[in-house]
Amino acid sequence: MDTSSSISRFASVSAPKFRCFDPTISKPAPANHRRYPPMSNGAPAPDSSNPVPDRKVVPGEAGYVLEDVPHLSDYIPDLPTYPNPLQDNPSYSVVRQYFVNVDDTVAQKIVVQKDSSRGTHFRRAGPRQRVYFESDEVHPCIVTCGGLCPGLNTVIREIVCGLHHMYGVSSVLGIEGGYRGFYARNTIPLTPKVVNDIHKRGGTILGTSRGGHITSKIVDSIEDRGINQVYIIGGDGTQKGAAVIFEEIRKRGLKVAVVGIPKTIDNDIPVIDKSFGFDTAVEEAQRAINAAHVESESIENGIGVVKLMGRHSGFIAMYATLASRDVDCCLIPESPFYLEGPGGLFEYIEKRLKENGHMVIVIAEGAGQELLSKIMRKMDEADASGNKLLQDVGLWISHRIKDHFAKRQKMSINLKYIDPTYMIRAIPSNASDNVYCTLLAHSAIHGAMAGYTGFTVGPVNGRHAYIPFYRITERQNKVVITDRMWARLLSSTNQPSFVDPKLVVAEKERELQSNGANENNQVTMTQTK
C-alpha cells in the first residue's frame, strides 16, 4: 500500500485564500542562520526594544476576520518547502485526512445570534502537507520559565518524542534555568530515552527561574548554537518575553521559529479554553478542602480555612469549590468582600456556625489584597518577573476571624488554616492534563515545522489554534462575577455576594459598553486593512 497516496488524496493543496507560503518552491535548503535580507514591503524594521507586532488581519465576507500569525516567509523571501515526513509515517497511514486544510480556521466565539457577523477566527493548528524544515536541518531547543505547574515535564517529553517520532529529529537541546540559561547555564541534550519517564515527576527537569531576560544575549545564543526552533513554556510574562525574542529574530532575518506554549496554573491566560495543569490543581485542591471539612466538623464551631492559588483570577478556588460541595464560602480577587457590618463576612460566619456548627472557607491568594495593602502599606513590591508580591491573605484572614470572635466572647471557635500551594504545584499532572499536554506539544511542533512563528498554541472552543502573541499578553482572563458560573457557586455555597446589587448592574453596563467598543475597534481595524 502506498501510504503517501492514501493520505494525500484526501487533502488537496488548493490555492490558499490567505497566502502564507508557496508550496511550489523546492530549492535547496540554506545553511542554518544565514542572515536573510528583509523583504522590501515598505514597512519599517521592528524595534526590538519596543516591539509593536505587525498584526496580520485578513477580512472576509459577513464580518469574518482572521487574526493570523507570522510566518517565516513574511520576512525571508524564496524559502524552499519540503514534503511532510508524516505522509510516509506508517502510524498515520490510517488517518483519513491528517493534514489540515490551508483555509481551516477556528472561531473565537461559538455562540452567536442568527444576524451576528462571523467574528474573529484563528488559524487552525495541525500538520501541513508542506514543511519549511528538513528533518536533519532541525535544531530545536526547549526552555521553561516562571513558577512550577503540573504538566511541565509532560510537555517537554512530548515535544522531544513528537519531533523524533513524527519528523525524524534526532536530538533537542534543553535550556537550563529559564531565560537566563540561554547565556548563563549549560544545555541538556534531550532524546526520547532521556525523557521517557519524566512525565511521572513533578516540576521541570530543565529547571526554571523568573526574570533574566536580556533579549540580545538570548538571540545571540540562539544564533551561535545554530538553534532554529525555540519552544518556550511559560505564563503571560514568559510569552511577552517570547514576543520580544521573535521580534529580534525577525529583525536579524534569521530562519528561526519561535513558539509559545502557555503555562499558568491560575488559568488566567485569555482566548484559550484553559491552561495545562489547571485540572490537576483543581483535583488536588479537593484533598485540602476535604481535610478542612473533616477538621471543622469534628469539633464544635470548627472553621477550616483553605488558601488556593489565584493571584488575579479565582478560577481554581471557584472550580474547586463547585467540585467539593463542602465549601460554605469562596473568596476570589474578582469579587470584593468586607469583614464587618451587616452582610459582611463575620456576620455570615456567625450565621453558618449557628446553623451547621462548622464551616469551610476557600480563599484565593489574590483575594482581599486591597484590605491588606492598606494595613501592611506594601503596595509596590514585585518579584523578578514584575509580579506584585502578595501578602498571605489566608493567614491574615484567619487571625482576623479569631480576633473578631475573641472580642465578642459570645461564641468560641476552633480554626484550622491549610495552605497546600506548593504541594499542588509540585505534583505530576493527572490523566486529563497529560493528554492535553500531548496535544499542545504536537500542535506546537506542527506549527513550527510548517514555518509559522511568533505564536502561542492552545484550544479555542475545543479546537487547537495558533494565536498571535499579542492576543495572549494584552490582558488576563478573569472570573466574571456577573456570569452564570459564579451564580452557580453562590447557589452551591449559599454565601452572600458581598456586592451591592447596584454595582452589579453598573458592571454589566460597563461590560456591554466595552464589548461594543471592542467590536467598533475591530471593524475600524478591518476597514483600514
Side-chain angles (χ1 to χ4, degrees):
M1 177 181 177
D2 183 357
T3 57
S4 174
S5 61
S6 66
I7 295 179
S8 60
R9 67 190 177 92
F10 290 102
S12 60
V13 185
S14 58
K17 294 179 183 177
F18 313 111
R19 185 177 182 275
C20 286
F21 58 86
D22 186 354
T24 63
I25 301 173
S26 58
K27 298 180 181 179
N32 270 2
H33 293 167
R34 163 188 157 197
R35 287 179 180 262
Y36 296 86
M39 298 183 73
S40 57
N41 56 5
D47 178 8
S48 61
S49 64
N50 184 24
V52 179
D54 296 330
R55 302 191 177 190
K56 293 179 65 176
V57 180
V58 184
E61 297 179 359
Y64 174 95
V65 177
L66 170 64
E67 291 200 26
D68 208 352
V69 297
H71 193 273
L72 293 173
S73 63
D74 293 341
Y75 64 93
I76 302 177
D78 301 326
L79 276 178
T81 65
Y82 314 94
N84 194 320
L86 284 172
Q87 68 183 9
D88 301 318
N89 190 319
S91 298
Y92 297 93
S93 62
V94 297
V95 181
R96 286 183 57 85
Q97 188 171 346
Y98 190 67
F99 294 117
V100 174
N101 188 288
V102 72
D103 288 339
D104 284 358
T105 61
V106 179
Q108 182 176 13
K109 288 186 178 181
I110 197 170
V111 178
V112 296
Q113 287 73 42
K114 63 180 182 179
D115 297 326
S116 299
S117 64
R118 294 177 62 192
T120 301
H121 288 235
F122 302 105
R123 188 168 292 280
R124 185 183 176 189
R128 270 60 178 175
Q129 282 188 306
R130 307 292 294 184
V131 296
Y132 278 74
F133 295 92
E134 288 189 294
S135 298
D136 57 0
E137 175 197 2
V138 179
H139 299 286
C141 75
I142 306 172
V143 63
T144 54
C145 306
L148 294 183
C149 176
L152 282 169
N153 278 334
T154 306
V155 175
I156 295 169
R157 181 190 188 278
E158 297 309 321
I159 291 175
V160 174
C161 293
L163 282 166
H164 179 81
H165 296 306
M166 292 190 295
Y167 289 99
V169 178
S170 57
S171 64
V172 181
L173 282 180
I175 306 297
E176 286 191 295
Y179 275 136
R180 60 171 56 95
F182 275 102
Y183 51 86
R185 297 286 292 275
N186 294 326
T187 60
I188 303 173
L190 301 175
T191 63
K193 185 176 181 180
V194 171
V195 301
N196 185 50
D197 292 327
I198 64 172
H199 62 292
K200 300 175 183 177
R201 305 181 226 161
T204 165
I205 63 165
L206 299 179
T208 185
S209 65
R210 297 186 184 277
H213 193 284
I214 304 177
T215 306
S216 59
K217 285 188 176 183
I218 292 173
V219 179
D220 287 344
S221 177
I222 291 170
E223 191 170 2
D224 292 342
R225 295 177 189 272
I227 295 168
N228 54 18
Q229 290 184 8
V230 184
Y231 297 92
I232 301 173
I233 310 169
D236 57 349
T238 301
Q239 302 302 310
K240 289 177 183 176
V244 177
I245 291 171
F246 159 69
E247 291 297 336
E248 177 65 18
I249 285 173
R250 183 170 67 167
K251 179 182 177 182
R252 298 189 189 187
L254 302 178
K255 185 186 176 184
V256 180
V258 180
V259 182
I261 299 175
K263 174 235 56 166
T264 168
I265 203 169
D266 294 347
N267 197 39
D268 59 359
I269 291 181
V271 182
I272 65 174
D273 297 343
K274 66 177 177 180
S275 52
F276 74 82
F278 175 70
D279 282 353
T280 304
V282 171
E283 183 177 306
E284 188 67 13
Q286 303 303 298
R287 298 159 67 93
I289 293 173
N290 183 59
H293 179 65
V294 170
E295 286 284 351
S296 64
E297 72 172 356
S298 299
I299 194 168
E300 184 180 4
N301 292 331
I303 301 175
V305 177
V306 179
K307 185 184 80 171
L308 297 177
M309 291 81 72
R311 297 177 59 85
H312 306 288
S313 305
F315 287 102
I316 292 179
M318 180 174 73
Y319 277 84
T321 295
L322 283 168
S324 169
R325 303 291 175 176
D326 288 330
V327 179
D328 299 281
C329 185
C330 177
L331 304 173
I332 62 173
E334 295 88 341
S335 181
F337 65 93
Y338 55 97
L339 302 179
E340 301 174 345
L345 180 62
F346 292 155
E347 182 182 82
Y348 176 63
I349 292 173
E350 289 184 34
K351 178 183 176 216
R352 294 298 287 175
L353 290 178
K354 289 176 181 178
E355 292 173 350
N356 295 341
H358 65 275
M359 77 175 299
V360 175
I361 300 172
V362 167
I363 185 166
E365 61 180 321
Q369 288 295 321
E370 68 283 353
L371 300 177
L372 274 80
S373 297
K374 293 177 182 177
I375 298 171
M376 305 288 186
R377 296 182 180 178
K378 292 183 179 180
M379 301 280 289
D380 301 319
E381 295 183 16
D383 62 18
S385 295
N387 298 314
K388 180 181 175 182
L389 289 176
L390 303 180
Q391 306 301 316
D392 191 338
V393 69
L395 196 60
W396 171 79
I397 203 167
S398 297
H399 285 311
R400 289 299 307 271
I401 292 171
K402 288 179 181 178
D403 291 344
H404 172 79
F405 284 96
K407 290 177 182 178
R408 291 181 62 85
Q409 295 182 347
K410 291 183 179 180
M411 183 185 296
S412 61
I413 63 167
N414 291 277
L415 188 146
K416 310 295 182 185
Y417 172 50
I418 300 174
D419 181 359
T421 299
Y422 295 105
M423 296 176 66
I424 293 174
R425 291 187 356 157
I427 64 171
S429 53
N430 63 11
S432 172
D433 271 324
N434 272 336
V435 173
Y436 178 31
C437 289
T438 301
L439 298 178
L440 282 174
H442 286 190
S443 295
I445 292 168
H446 295 317
M449 291 298 296
Y452 295 109
T453 181
F455 69 89
T456 294
V457 65
V460 179
N461 295 320
R463 295 286 185 178
H464 282 242
Y466 299 140
I467 306 161
F469 278 137
Y470 65 84
R471 288 301 304 269
I472 296 295
T473 59
E474 64 187 359
R475 65 179 179 87
Q476 287 181 312
N477 193 28
K478 294 182 181 293
V479 174
V480 180
I481 61 172
T482 56
D483 197 16
R484 282 192 293 271
M485 188 59 76
W486 184 245
R488 293 184 186 105
L489 181 139
L490 296 179
S491 177
S492 172
T493 60
N494 289 317
Q495 71 185 66
S497 66
F498 301 111
V499 179
D500 189 331
K502 293 180 180 178
L503 296 178
V504 174
V505 173
E507 177 65 25
K508 285 184 177 179
E509 291 178 352
R510 279 195 298 270
E511 185 178 343
L512 290 172
Q513 291 172 357
S514 175
N515 290 338
N518 289 338
E519 290 178 2
N520 290 334
N521 289 337
Q522 184 68 71
V523 170
T524 302
M525 182 167 60
T526 302
Q527 290 173 345
T528 57
K529 293 286 179 179

